[in-house]
Every structure is written in C-alpha cells, then in structure tokens.
Amino acid sequence: MLELLEKLSSQQYHKDIFDALKKQDEQIYQLIVKEYERLHNTIQLIAAENQCSQSVLAALGSIVQNKTTEGFPGSRFHGGCEVVDNIENIAAARARETFDAQYANVQPHSGTNANQIVITALLERDDTILSLGMDQGGHVSHGANVAFSGKFFKVHNYSVNKSNYLLDYDSIKAMAIAFKPKLIICGATAYSRTIDFKKFREIADRVGAYLLADISHIASLVIAGAHPSPVNHAHFTTTSTYKPGGPRGGLILMGHDFDRTITIGDKEIPLYKLLDKTTFPGVQGTPYLNNIAAKAVFFKETLSEKYRARQFKIIENAKRLAGNLAGLGYDVLTNGTDNHMVLVNISNSIEGLTGLIAQQSLEDCGIIINMNKLPYDDKNAKITSGIRLGTPIVTKNGMGNEEIDTITTLIDTALRKVKVISDRKYELDGSVKEEIKEKVKQISSRFPLR
Ligand SMILES: *Cc1c(COP(=O)(O)O)cnc(C)c1O
C-alpha cells in the first residue's frame, strides 16, 4: 500500500521518466545517451548554442506538457487551468523582472515566431520593413525572401560598412528616410560589436516607424548589463530563450511603449493587447505550457548573481579567443568582439581554406563550430569565407583563460595541418585528428556538462 502511494506521487512519477523511456524505446534512449557523450567528448563553440540547467530540463519533461488550453491566464478557453495560469503568470513576472520590462509574453514557440507575431500585429500586406540583410549578419526571419516575412512584405536591407564591418547609422537613417518603413528591425545573428539601440529608435522616430529589437544572440548579456538593453528604446524586443541558456522557445518584451495605442480599423487598442491577440489566435495555437514552466525556471536562474557574473566571463573568454587568433595571424572581423562571438575570415587567414573545410576539419578533431557567410562574401553561401565561434557553453562548463589558450592552439594546429584539395575537399592526417581529439577529450572531461 505504501509502495503504491509512493508510485502515485509526483516525485516518483517524474523520477521514473528516463527508466520508462529506456524500457519503451531503447533505440531513442541510446541515441540520447550518445548525444550526451558527443557533448561530453567534444568542445562546443557554436555561438547560437547554449546549455540549459537540469532544472530547466526537468520542467520541460514534466506532466505540465499534457495541459491543453488556448488564450492567456485569466481568459483561457478550457477548464482546469488554475495551475498553469499560475505558472505562466510567474514566468511572465520573472521575465519582466529580469529584463526590466513592462510587458512580457512567454508564449512564442520560438524566436522566429516571436518575430512573426510582432510583424503580423503591425503590418498589412505589402507594408515596408527595413532590416539588416541576411548576407550581412541579419536573421532569416527579418525579411529574407525565403521566409514568411519576405513573402508578404516589401523588404529593404541595410548593410554593414564595407571598410570596417560596423553598422553605419547615417546610412541606415538615409535608407529609412528614403523608404519610409513601417517597421525597422535591428539585431543580428552574426555581429560581434555593440548595437546602439538608442540611435535606432531616433531613426525610427524620425520616420514614424516602429522599432523591433531582436536580441536573440545577446539576450543573456542584456540581462546581465553586459550589453545595453533595448527594452525601453525599442517598441518591441524579441528573443529566443535557448540562446541565453533556457529552454527552446521565444519571448516578446515591451518597455515604456507597452500601452501606447494603435488604430486598427476604427478601434484604438494598446500595443500589448494587440500582441496578445496576434499571438493567439493570430499566429499560434495552444501554448506549450511545459515550455513556459521551463522558461519560468530559467528566468529565476537569470536573476541570480551567478548567472549575471557568468555573462561577463563569456565576453572575457570571447575577447581572449579573438585576441589569440588575431595574434596568430587570423583575420578576425572588426579586430575583436564586444560580445560572445568571434567572426573570422578564414579564407583570408589560411591559403585555400573555406568556412566549410574549417568546420568539417575541426569537427574531425572534436571542436564544434559553424561556417558563416560574411558581409560582402563572394564565396558561395554553402562554402563561405567565414567561421563563427562562441563562448557561452565553454564558459558555462567553467572554462577560463588557460582553456581558451589551449583551445586556440588546438584550432590553429588543426587548421594549419589541413591539406586543401578543393573548396569542399581536404585531407587531414589521421594521426593529427587522433592527437587533437585526445587533447579535446582531456579538457572536456575536466569540465563536464553543467
Ligand atoms: C536564433 C535567432 C532567431 C531564431 O530563433 P529560433 O528560436 O531558432 O526560431 C531569431 N533572431 C535572431 C537574431 C537569432 O539569432
């Protein structure tokens, strides 16, 4: 009887999750084990990746996943929502606190969806967007012609300056005046310098445009105060929640302008209400409530001193990596970084190398990075001249100066031993691979997943 009661308890139910999976589906269970081992034995330097805590994983894998409803807390469509209403209210309150925002919407299923919600809320078909081009470091959801936003709206792209690869606010302003966009989007996936959100707002105000700041890549730095916050400059701020180290998902924030009104048809409605309505039923269906629970857990973590201190360390590690590479003769874009990422023109650095070959040869050695198209890159997008490196995960696992130095040496050793055959083909001696892989394992085993 006692045993039965225990079996029925939430504690036991959730504890048994992995054993249940192992029993039910050995094949997927083993692949999950393999993924853990892959992460444990290699070094993660993908700037877009992070590593959430076990507590976030627990919330994601909890029974809350089963609750179905529509709408927002207090006005749900289905019964039985008192617990999930509480969870969502806590998640939104913590998000407001951590970003110092007036409004937080924790329902977007992804960063891309968060952008789609804002864009759909504000624009009519054929309205104009001004955003950073995808070939310049912008994100595909900011109006690329292969994306939804590029399909239904007119999109003009600003660029980075050709001589220094920095945002050129004068030219952005000139474009805004010329094209009179209804929406200006700032924020990037491949830009290693500080973004001046205040200047962007001045430009938006000059032409009567709304400003959306997408801080997916730098959200953790914004939380910690390691990068200026756009929340009270932009009308809307969006982010993915996995890049700053939470569960997959998206978030929309508003600062001072949250209750400013907009005229829709013959009605005036506050912007935040428009966003709620556009989230559901406008763009999404049922919220992922387990995901929202996991976001709540993550936002609590972001309020800790430990989390905030780590963000400064991430930048310190990235600066060191950039400095080391530049010192070894690599062409580091903008000669350094202000954030967590380092962009390198690898074709300019080592004769014949492409981003693709750099990515693959480093992966052969257990170092995981990604190739990246660079501004004004004349290389085919599938090969690229660039690579992008990021320090969130190595920092999370506790690595510092000494390890960054060792990692730089390993990267340099590997890349210099590559024999280039063509843009895509190369050879790397088996013994070189094994030697570096072994060293990678030695480091990563000292800094297990946290
Ligand atoms: C990663 C990223 C996104 C997309 O987020 P998803 O959750 O993967 O859809 C959007 N915008 C920017 C700037 C990003 O870097």
Side-chain angles (χ1 to χ4, degrees), residues 421-442:
I421 297 167
S422 71
D423 276 355
R424 291 162 191 275
K425 286 214 178 103
Y426 66 96
E427 277 170 9
L428 185 57
D429 200 75
S431 64
V432 174
K433 284 185 208 170
E434 285 317 310
E435 200 178 306
I436 299 178
K437 246 190 191 162
E438 200 40 52
K439 287 188 177 150
V440 162
K441 265 192 202 167
Q442 279 170 19

mmCIF file with all atom_site columns, all heavy atoms in Angstrom, residues 421-442:
data_model
loop_
_atom_site.group_PDB
_atom_site.id
_atom_site.type_symbol
_atom_site.label_atom_id
_atom_site.label_alt_id
_atom_site.label_comp_id
_atom_site.label_asym_id
_atom_site.label_entity_id
_atom_site.label_seq_id
_atom_site.pdbx_PDB_ins_code
_atom_site.Cartn_x
_atom_site.Cartn_y
_atom_site.Cartn_z
_atom_site.occupancy
_atom_site.B_iso_or_equiv
_atom_site.pdbx_formal_charge
_atom_site.auth_seq_id
_atom_site.auth_comp_id
_atom_site.auth_asym_id
_atom_site.auth_atom_id
_atom_site.pdbx_PDB_model_num
ATOM 1   N N   . ILE A 1 421 ? 42.180 20.387 -51.005 1.00 0.00 ? 421 ILE A N   1
ATOM 2   C CA  . ILE A 1 421 ? 42.150 19.796 -52.351 1.00 0.00 ? 421 ILE A CA  1
ATOM 3   C C   . ILE A 1 421 ? 41.273 20.652 -53.274 1.00 0.00 ? 421 ILE A C   1
ATOM 4   O O   . ILE A 1 421 ? 41.628 20.935 -54.405 1.00 0.00 ? 421 ILE A O   1
ATOM 5   C CB  . ILE A 1 421 ? 41.661 18.335 -52.286 1.00 0.00 ? 421 ILE A CB  1
ATOM 6   C CG1 . ILE A 1 421 ? 42.663 17.510 -51.468 1.00 0.00 ? 421 ILE A CG1 1
ATOM 7   C CG2 . ILE A 1 421 ? 41.491 17.746 -53.690 1.00 0.00 ? 421 ILE A CG2 1
ATOM 8   C CD1 . ILE A 1 421 ? 42.162 16.155 -51.057 1.00 0.00 ? 421 ILE A CD1 1
ATOM 9   N N   . SER A 1 422 ? 40.114 21.060 -52.748 1.00 0.00 ? 422 SER A N   1
ATOM 10  C CA  . SER A 1 422 ? 39.235 21.990 -53.486 1.00 0.00 ? 422 SER A CA  1
ATOM 11  C C   . SER A 1 422 ? 38.470 22.802 -52.437 1.00 0.00 ? 422 SER A C   1
ATOM 12  O O   . SER A 1 422 ? 38.752 22.693 -51.250 1.00 0.00 ? 422 SER A O   1
ATOM 13  C CB  . SER A 1 422 ? 38.254 21.205 -54.360 1.00 0.00 ? 422 SER A CB  1
ATOM 14  O OG  . SER A 1 422 ? 37.292 20.568 -53.536 1.00 0.00 ? 422 SER A OG  1
ATOM 15  N N   . ASP A 1 423 ? 37.471 23.610 -52.877 1.00 0.00 ? 423 ASP A N   1
ATOM 16  C CA  . ASP A 1 423 ? 36.676 24.401 -51.931 1.00 0.00 ? 423 ASP A CA  1
ATOM 17  C C   . ASP A 1 423 ? 35.991 23.552 -50.861 1.00 0.00 ? 423 ASP A C   1
ATOM 18  O O   . ASP A 1 423 ? 35.676 24.025 -49.777 1.00 0.00 ? 423 ASP A O   1
ATOM 19  C CB  . ASP A 1 423 ? 35.569 25.148 -52.694 1.00 0.00 ? 423 ASP A CB  1
ATOM 20  C CG  . ASP A 1 423 ? 36.089 26.442 -53.273 1.00 0.00 ? 423 ASP A CG  1
ATOM 21  O OD1 . ASP A 1 423 ? 37.259 26.784 -52.992 1.00 0.00 ? 423 ASP A OD1 1
ATOM 22  O OD2 . ASP A 1 423 ? 35.331 27.093 -54.014 1.00 0.00 ? 423 ASP A OD2 1
ATOM 23  N N   . ARG A 1 424 ? 35.679 22.314 -51.234 1.00 0.00 ? 424 ARG A N   1
ATOM 24  C CA  . ARG A 1 424 ? 34.950 21.432 -50.313 1.00 0.00 ? 424 ARG A CA  1
ATOM 25  C C   . ARG A 1 424 ? 35.773 20.252 -49.823 1.00 0.00 ? 424 ARG A C   1
ATOM 26  O O   . ARG A 1 424 ? 35.400 19.600 -48.858 1.00 0.00 ? 424 ARG A O   1
ATOM 27  C CB  . ARG A 1 424 ? 33.719 20.852 -51.012 1.00 0.00 ? 424 ARG A CB  1
ATOM 28  C CG  . ARG A 1 424 ? 32.645 21.846 -51.312 1.00 0.00 ? 424 ARG A CG  1
ATOM 29  C CD  . ARG A 1 424 ? 31.705 21.291 -52.366 1.00 0.00 ? 424 ARG A CD  1
ATOM 30  N NE  . ARG A 1 424 ? 30.823 22.331 -52.838 1.00 0.00 ? 424 ARG A NE  1
ATOM 31  C CZ  . ARG A 1 424 ? 29.683 22.664 -52.230 1.00 0.00 ? 424 ARG A CZ  1
ATOM 32  N NH1 . ARG A 1 424 ? 29.288 22.001 -51.174 1.00 0.00 ? 424 ARG A NH1 1
ATOM 33  N NH2 . ARG A 1 424 ? 28.955 23.651 -52.697 1.00 0.00 ? 424 ARG A NH2 1
ATOM 34  N N   . LYS A 1 425 ? 36.835 19.931 -50.557 1.00 0.00 ? 425 LYS A N   1
ATOM 35  C CA  . LYS A 1 425 ? 37.577 18.704 -50.235 1.00 0.00 ? 425 LYS A CA  1
ATOM 36  C C   . LYS A 1 425 ? 38.904 19.015 -49.567 1.00 0.00 ? 425 LYS A C   1
ATOM 37  O O   . LYS A 1 425 ? 39.577 19.981 -49.911 1.00 0.00 ? 425 LYS A O   1
ATOM 38  C CB  . LYS A 1 425 ? 37.828 17.917 -51.526 1.00 0.00 ? 425 LYS A CB  1
ATOM 39  C CG  . LYS A 1 425 ? 36.587 17.229 -52.062 1.00 0.00 ? 425 LYS A CG  1
ATOM 40  C CD  . LYS A 1 425 ? 36.967 15.906 -52.729 1.00 0.00 ? 425 LYS A CD  1
ATOM 41  C CE  . LYS A 1 425 ? 35.746 15.154 -53.230 1.00 0.00 ? 425 LYS A CE  1
ATOM 42  N NZ  . LYS A 1 425 ? 35.585 15.265 -54.673 1.00 0.00 ? 425 LYS A NZ  1
ATOM 43  N N   . TYR A 1 426 ? 39.262 18.149 -48.629 1.00 0.00 ? 426 TYR A N   1
ATOM 44  C CA  . TYR A 1 426 ? 40.512 18.347 -47.912 1.00 0.00 ? 426 TYR A CA  1
ATOM 45  C C   . TYR A 1 426 ? 40.975 17.011 -47.360 1.00 0.00 ? 426 TYR A C   1
ATOM 46  O O   . TYR A 1 426 ? 40.220 16.031 -47.319 1.00 0.00 ? 426 TYR A O   1
ATOM 47  C CB  . TYR A 1 426 ? 40.298 19.334 -46.762 1.00 0.00 ? 426 TYR A CB  1
ATOM 48  C CG  . TYR A 1 426 ? 39.385 18.789 -45.684 1.00 0.00 ? 426 TYR A CG  1
ATOM 49  C CD1 . TYR A 1 426 ? 39.901 18.173 -44.538 1.00 0.00 ? 426 TYR A CD1 1
ATOM 50  C CD2 . TYR A 1 426 ? 38.007 18.850 -45.831 1.00 0.00 ? 426 TYR A CD2 1
ATOM 51  C CE1 . TYR A 1 426 ? 39.065 17.651 -43.580 1.00 0.00 ? 426 TYR A CE1 1
ATOM 52  C CE2 . TYR A 1 426 ? 37.164 18.317 -44.861 1.00 0.00 ? 426 TYR A CE2 1
ATOM 53  C CZ  . TYR A 1 426 ? 37.705 17.717 -43.743 1.00 0.00 ? 426 TYR A CZ  1
ATOM 54  O OH  . TYR A 1 426 ? 36.873 17.183 -42.793 1.00 0.00 ? 426 TYR A OH  1
ATOM 55  N N   . GLU A 1 427 ? 42.202 16.991 -46.908 1.00 0.00 ? 427 GLU A N   1
ATOM 56  C CA  . GLU A 1 427 ? 42.700 15.823 -46.184 1.00 0.00 ? 427 GLU A CA  1
ATOM 57  C C   . GLU A 1 427 ? 43.311 16.298 -44.879 1.00 0.00 ? 427 GLU A C   1
ATOM 58  O O   . GLU A 1 427 ? 43.920 17.358 -44.818 1.00 0.00 ? 427 GLU A O   1
ATOM 59  C CB  . GLU A 1 427 ? 43.792 15.115 -47.008 1.00 0.00 ? 427 GLU A CB  1
ATOM 60  C CG  . GLU A 1 427 ? 43.213 14.176 -48.046 1.00 0.00 ? 427 GLU A CG  1
ATOM 61  C CD  . GLU A 1 427 ? 44.277 13.668 -49.016 1.00 0.00 ? 427 GLU A CD  1
ATOM 62  O OE1 . GLU A 1 427 ? 45.491 13.911 -48.783 1.00 0.00 ? 427 GLU A OE1 1
ATOM 63  O OE2 . GLU A 1 427 ? 43.879 13.049 -50.009 1.00 0.00 ? 427 GLU A OE2 1
ATOM 64  N N   . LEU A 1 428 ? 43.100 15.492 -43.861 1.00 0.00 ? 428 LEU A N   1
ATOM 65  C CA  . LEU A 1 428 ? 43.742 15.782 -42.578 1.00 0.00 ? 428 LEU A CA  1
ATOM 66  C C   . LEU A 1 428 ? 44.252 14.454 -42.058 1.00 0.00 ? 428 LEU A C   1
ATOM 67  O O   . LEU A 1 428 ? 43.494 13.485 -41.920 1.00 0.00 ? 428 LEU A O   1
ATOM 68  C CB  . LEU A 1 428 ? 42.732 16.421 -41.608 1.00 0.00 ? 428 LEU A CB  1
ATOM 69  C CG  . LEU A 1 428 ? 43.276 16.903 -40.259 1.00 0.00 ? 428 LEU A CG  1
ATOM 70  C CD1 . LEU A 1 428 ? 44.417 17.905 -40.431 1.00 0.00 ? 428 LEU A CD1 1
ATOM 71  C CD2 . LEU A 1 428 ? 42.161 17.531 -39.431 1.00 0.00 ? 428 LEU A CD2 1
ATOM 72  N N   . ASP A 1 429 ? 45.521 14.421 -41.796 1.00 0.00 ? 429 ASP A N   1
ATOM 73  C CA  . ASP A 1 429 ? 46.180 13.196 -41.360 1.00 0.00 ? 429 ASP A CA  1
ATOM 74  C C   . ASP A 1 429 ? 45.480 12.560 -40.161 1.00 0.00 ? 429 ASP A C   1
ATOM 75  O O   . ASP A 1 429 ? 45.144 13.238 -39.198 1.00 0.00 ? 429 ASP A O   1
ATOM 76  C CB  . ASP A 1 429 ? 47.612 13.591 -40.975 1.00 0.00 ? 429 ASP A CB  1
ATOM 77  C CG  . ASP A 1 429 ? 48.507 12.384 -40.969 1.00 0.00 ? 429 ASP A CG  1
ATOM 78  O OD1 . ASP A 1 429 ? 48.848 11.923 -42.060 1.00 0.00 ? 429 ASP A OD1 1
ATOM 79  O OD2 . ASP A 1 429 ? 48.810 11.905 -39.853 1.00 0.00 ? 429 ASP A OD2 1
ATOM 80  N N   . GLY A 1 430 ? 45.255 11.248 -40.226 1.00 0.00 ? 430 GLY A N   1
ATOM 81  C CA  . GLY A 1 430 ? 44.567 10.520 -39.155 1.00 0.00 ? 430 GLY A CA  1
ATOM 82  C C   . GLY A 1 430 ? 45.234 10.690 -37.805 1.00 0.00 ? 430 GLY A C   1
ATOM 83  O O   . GLY A 1 430 ? 44.560 10.821 -36.784 1.00 0.00 ? 430 GLY A O   1
ATOM 84  N N   . SER A 1 431 ? 46.551 10.727 -37.803 1.00 0.00 ? 431 SER A N   1
ATOM 85  C CA  . SER A 1 431 ? 47.242 10.813 -36.506 1.00 0.00 ? 431 SER A CA  1
ATOM 86  C C   . SER A 1 431 ? 47.063 12.214 -35.897 1.00 0.00 ? 431 SER A C   1
ATOM 87  O O   . SER A 1 431 ? 46.984 12.365 -34.684 1.00 0.00 ? 431 SER A O   1
ATOM 88  C CB  . SER A 1 431 ? 48.723 10.481 -36.665 1.00 0.00 ? 431 SER A CB  1
ATOM 89  O OG  . SER A 1 431 ? 49.335 11.446 -37.487 1.00 0.00 ? 431 SER A OG  1
ATOM 90  N N   . VAL A 1 432 ? 46.978 13.242 -36.771 1.00 0.00 ? 432 VAL A N   1
ATOM 91  C CA  . VAL A 1 432 ? 46.723 14.605 -36.277 1.00 0.00 ? 432 VAL A CA  1
ATOM 92  C C   . VAL A 1 432 ? 45.344 14.655 -35.616 1.00 0.00 ? 432 VAL A C   1
ATOM 93  O O   . VAL A 1 432 ? 45.175 15.154 -34.497 1.00 0.00 ? 432 VAL A O   1
ATOM 94  C CB  . VAL A 1 432 ? 46.791 15.642 -37.434 1.00 0.00 ? 432 VAL A CB  1
ATOM 95  C CG1 . VAL A 1 432 ? 46.376 17.026 -36.945 1.00 0.00 ? 432 VAL A CG1 1
ATOM 96  C CG2 . VAL A 1 432 ? 48.179 15.669 -38.042 1.00 0.00 ? 432 VAL A CG2 1
ATOM 97  N N   . LYS A 1 433 ? 44.356 14.101 -36.340 1.00 0.00 ? 433 LYS A N   1
ATOM 98  C CA  . LYS A 1 433 ? 42.989 14.081 -35.790 1.00 0.00 ? 433 LYS A CA  1
ATOM 99  C C   . LYS A 1 433 ? 42.964 13.411 -34.420 1.00 0.00 ? 433 LYS A C   1
ATOM 100 O O   . LYS A 1 433 ? 42.394 13.938 -33.468 1.00 0.00 ? 433 LYS A O   1
ATOM 101 C CB  . LYS A 1 433 ? 42.065 13.281 -36.717 1.00 0.00 ? 433 LYS A CB  1
ATOM 102 C CG  . LYS A 1 433 ? 41.655 13.990 -37.970 1.00 0.00 ? 433 LYS A CG  1
ATOM 103 C CD  . LYS A 1 433 ? 40.639 13.123 -38.716 1.00 0.00 ? 433 LYS A CD  1
ATOM 104 C CE  . LYS A 1 433 ? 40.709 13.383 -40.204 1.00 0.00 ? 433 LYS A CE  1
ATOM 105 N NZ  . LYS A 1 433 ? 39.937 12.453 -41.013 1.00 0.00 ? 433 LYS A NZ  1
ATOM 106 N N   . GLU A 1 434 ? 43.573 12.236 -34.340 1.00 0.00 ? 434 GLU A N   1
ATOM 107 C CA  . GLU A 1 434 ? 43.521 11.473 -33.092 1.00 0.00 ? 434 GLU A CA  1
ATOM 108 C C   . GLU A 1 434 ? 44.193 12.229 -31.949 1.00 0.00 ? 434 GLU A C   1
ATOM 109 O O   . GLU A 1 434 ? 43.691 12.276 -30.831 1.00 0.00 ? 434 GLU A O   1
ATOM 110 C CB  . GLU A 1 434 ? 44.162 10.088 -33.259 1.00 0.00 ? 434 GLU A CB  1
ATOM 111 C CG  . GLU A 1 434 ? 43.294 9.105  -34.040 1.00 0.00 ? 434 GLU A CG  1
ATOM 112 C CD  . GLU A 1 434 ? 41.815 9.135  -33.638 1.00 0.00 ? 434 GLU A CD  1
ATOM 113 O OE1 . GLU A 1 434 ? 41.513 9.054  -32.431 1.00 0.00 ? 434 GLU A OE1 1
ATOM 114 O OE2 . GLU A 1 434 ? 40.949 9.280  -34.536 1.00 0.00 ? 434 GLU A OE2 1
ATOM 115 N N   . GLU A 1 435 ? 45.316 12.847 -32.271 1.00 0.00 ? 435 GLU A N   1
ATOM 116 C CA  . GLU A 1 435 ? 46.071 13.563 -31.250 1.00 0.00 ? 435 GLU A CA  1
ATOM 117 C C   . GLU A 1 435 ? 45.249 14.740 -30.693 1.00 0.00 ? 435 GLU A C   1
ATOM 118 O O   . GLU A 1 435 ? 45.158 14.936 -29.477 1.00 0.00 ? 435 GLU A O   1
ATOM 119 C CB  . GLU A 1 435 ? 47.359 14.083 -31.898 1.00 0.00 ? 435 GLU A CB  1
ATOM 120 C CG  . GLU A 1 435 ? 48.455 14.416 -30.902 1.00 0.00 ? 435 GLU A CG  1
ATOM 121 C CD  . GLU A 1 435 ? 49.694 14.882 -31.666 1.00 0.00 ? 435 GLU A CD  1
ATOM 122 O OE1 . GLU A 1 435 ? 50.164 14.132 -32.568 1.00 0.00 ? 435 GLU A OE1 1
ATOM 123 O OE2 . GLU A 1 435 ? 50.159 16.002 -31.393 1.00 0.00 ? 435 GLU A OE2 1
ATOM 124 N N   . ILE A 1 436 ? 44.614 15.505 -31.603 1.00 0.00 ? 436 ILE A N   1
ATOM 125 C CA  . ILE A 1 436 ? 43.840 16.662 -31.143 1.00 0.00 ? 436 ILE A CA  1
ATOM 126 C C   . ILE A 1 436 ? 42.579 16.208 -30.410 1.00 0.00 ? 436 ILE A C   1
ATOM 127 O O   . ILE A 1 436 ? 42.238 16.734 -29.352 1.00 0.00 ? 436 ILE A O   1
ATOM 128 C CB  . ILE A 1 436 ? 43.497 17.612 -32.322 1.00 0.00 ? 436 ILE A CB  1
ATOM 129 C CG1 . ILE A 1 436 ? 44.802 18.134 -32.929 1.00 0.00 ? 436 ILE A CG1 1
ATOM 130 C CG2 . ILE A 1 436 ? 42.627 18.776 -31.852 1.00 0.00 ? 436 ILE A CG2 1
ATOM 131 C CD1 . ILE A 1 436 ? 44.621 19.028 -34.126 1.00 0.00 ? 436 ILE A CD1 1
ATOM 132 N N   . LYS A 1 437 ? 41.938 15.190 -30.979 1.00 0.00 ? 437 LYS A N   1
ATOM 133 C CA  . LYS A 1 437 ? 40.726 14.650 -30.332 1.00 0.00 ? 437 LYS A CA  1
ATOM 134 C C   . LYS A 1 437 ? 41.018 14.240 -28.883 1.00 0.00 ? 437 LYS A C   1
ATOM 135 O O   . LYS A 1 437 ? 40.213 14.461 -27.984 1.00 0.00 ? 437 LYS A O   1
ATOM 136 C CB  . LYS A 1 437 ? 40.283 13.400 -31.083 1.00 0.00 ? 437 LYS A CB  1
ATOM 137 C CG  . LYS A 1 437 ? 38.956 13.531 -31.794 1.00 0.00 ? 437 LYS A CG  1
ATOM 138 C CD  . LYS A 1 437 ? 38.567 12.150 -32.253 1.00 0.00 ? 437 LYS A CD  1
ATOM 139 C CE  . LYS A 1 437 ? 37.410 12.168 -33.187 1.00 0.00 ? 437 LYS A CE  1
ATOM 140 N NZ  . LYS A 1 437 ? 37.315 10.921 -33.949 1.00 0.00 ? 437 LYS A NZ  1
ATOM 141 N N   . GLU A 1 438 ? 42.161 13.621 -28.698 1.00 0.00 ? 438 GLU A N   1
ATOM 142 C CA  . GLU A 1 438 ? 42.543 13.159 -27.367 1.00 0.00 ? 438 GLU A CA  1
ATOM 143 C C   . GLU A 1 438 ? 42.706 14.360 -26.420 1.00 0.00 ? 438 GLU A C   1
ATOM 144 O O   . GLU A 1 438 ? 42.244 14.342 -25.285 1.00 0.00 ? 438 GLU A O   1
ATOM 145 C CB  . GLU A 1 438 ? 43.851 12.360 -27.491 1.00 0.00 ? 438 GLU A CB  1
ATOM 146 C CG  . GLU A 1 438 ? 44.137 11.428 -26.334 1.00 0.00 ? 438 GLU A CG  1
ATOM 147 C CD  . GLU A 1 438 ? 42.919 10.686 -25.811 1.00 0.00 ? 438 GLU A CD  1
ATOM 148 O OE1 . GLU A 1 438 ? 42.199 10.053 -26.623 1.00 0.00 ? 438 GLU A OE1 1
ATOM 149 O OE2 . GLU A 1 438 ? 42.667 10.755 -24.584 1.00 0.00 ? 438 GLU A OE2 1
ATOM 150 N N   . LYS A 1 439 ? 43.331 15.420 -26.938 1.00 0.00 ? 439 LYS A N   1
ATOM 151 C CA  . LYS A 1 439 ? 43.532 16.617 -26.109 1.00 0.00 ? 439 LYS A CA  1
ATOM 152 C C   . LYS A 1 439 ? 42.205 17.297 -25.798 1.00 0.00 ? 439 LYS A C   1
ATOM 153 O O   . LYS A 1 439 ? 41.993 17.805 -24.692 1.00 0.00 ? 439 LYS A O   1
ATOM 154 C CB  . LYS A 1 439 ? 44.493 17.590 -26.809 1.00 0.00 ? 439 LYS A CB  1
ATOM 155 C CG  . LYS A 1 439 ? 45.916 17.066 -26.762 1.00 0.00 ? 439 LYS A CG  1
ATOM 156 C CD  . LYS A 1 439 ? 46.919 18.068 -27.273 1.00 0.00 ? 439 LYS A CD  1
ATOM 157 C CE  . LYS A 1 439 ? 48.332 17.503 -27.131 1.00 0.00 ? 439 LYS A CE  1
ATOM 158 N NZ  . LYS A 1 439 ? 49.244 18.007 -28.156 1.00 0.00 ? 439 LYS A NZ  1
ATOM 159 N N   . VAL A 1 440 ? 41.322 17.305 -26.798 1.00 0.00 ? 440 VAL A N   1
ATOM 160 C CA  . VAL A 1 440 ? 39.978 17.867 -26.594 1.00 0.00 ? 440 VAL A CA  1
ATOM 161 C C   . VAL A 1 440 ? 39.266 17.100 -25.476 1.00 0.00 ? 440 VAL A C   1
ATOM 162 O O   . VAL A 1 440 ? 38.669 17.686 -24.571 1.00 0.00 ? 440 VAL A O   1
ATOM 163 C CB  . VAL A 1 440 ? 39.158 17.815 -27.914 1.00 0.00 ? 440 VAL A CB  1
ATOM 164 C CG1 . VAL A 1 440 ? 37.669 17.972 -27.643 1.00 0.00 ? 440 VAL A CG1 1
ATOM 165 C CG2 . VAL A 1 440 ? 39.646 18.898 -28.872 1.00 0.00 ? 440 VAL A CG2 1
ATOM 166 N N   . LYS A 1 441 ? 39.362 15.776 -25.539 1.00 0.00 ? 441 LYS A N   1
ATOM 167 C CA  . LYS A 1 441 ? 38.714 14.945 -24.508 1.00 0.00 ? 441 LYS A CA  1
ATOM 168 C C   . LYS A 1 441 ? 39.287 15.226 -23.122 1.00 0.00 ? 441 LYS A C   1
ATOM 169 O O   . LYS A 1 441 ? 38.556 15.258 -22.139 1.00 0.00 ? 441 LYS A O   1
ATOM 170 C CB  . LYS A 1 441 ? 38.930 13.458 -24.822 1.00 0.00 ? 441 LYS A CB  1
ATOM 171 C CG  . LYS A 1 441 ? 37.780 12.856 -25.580 1.00 0.00 ? 441 LYS A CG  1
ATOM 172 C CD  . LYS A 1 441 ? 37.911 11.343 -25.596 1.00 0.00 ? 441 LYS A CD  1
ATOM 173 C CE  . LYS A 1 441 ? 37.121 10.789 -26.762 1.00 0.00 ? 441 LYS A CE  1
ATOM 174 N NZ  . LYS A 1 441 ? 37.418 9.386  -27.032 1.00 0.00 ? 441 LYS A NZ  1
ATOM 175 N N   . GLN A 1 442 ? 40.600 15.439 -23.088 1.00 0.00 ? 442 GLN A N   1
ATOM 176 C CA  . GLN A 1 442 ? 41.228 15.723 -21.784 1.00 0.00 ? 442 GLN A CA  1
ATOM 177 C C   . GLN A 1 442 ? 40.653 17.010 -21.187 1.00 0.00 ? 442 GLN A C   1
ATOM 178 O O   . GLN A 1 442 ? 40.347 17.049 -20.001 1.00 0.00 ? 442 GLN A O   1
ATOM 179 C CB  . GLN A 1 442 ? 42.745 15.879 -21.946 1.00 0.00 ? 442 GLN A CB  1
ATOM 180 C CG  . GLN A 1 442 ? 43.477 14.553 -22.017 1.00 0.00 ? 442 GLN A CG  1
ATOM 181 C CD  . GLN A 1 442 ? 44.932 14.744 -22.414 1.00 0.00 ? 442 GLN A CD  1
ATOM 182 O OE1 . GLN A 1 442 ? 45.477 15.837 -22.306 1.00 0.00 ? 442 GLN A OE1 1
ATOM 183 N NE2 . GLN A 1 442 ? 45.559 13.681 -22.875 1.00 0.00 ? 442 GLN A NE2 1
#
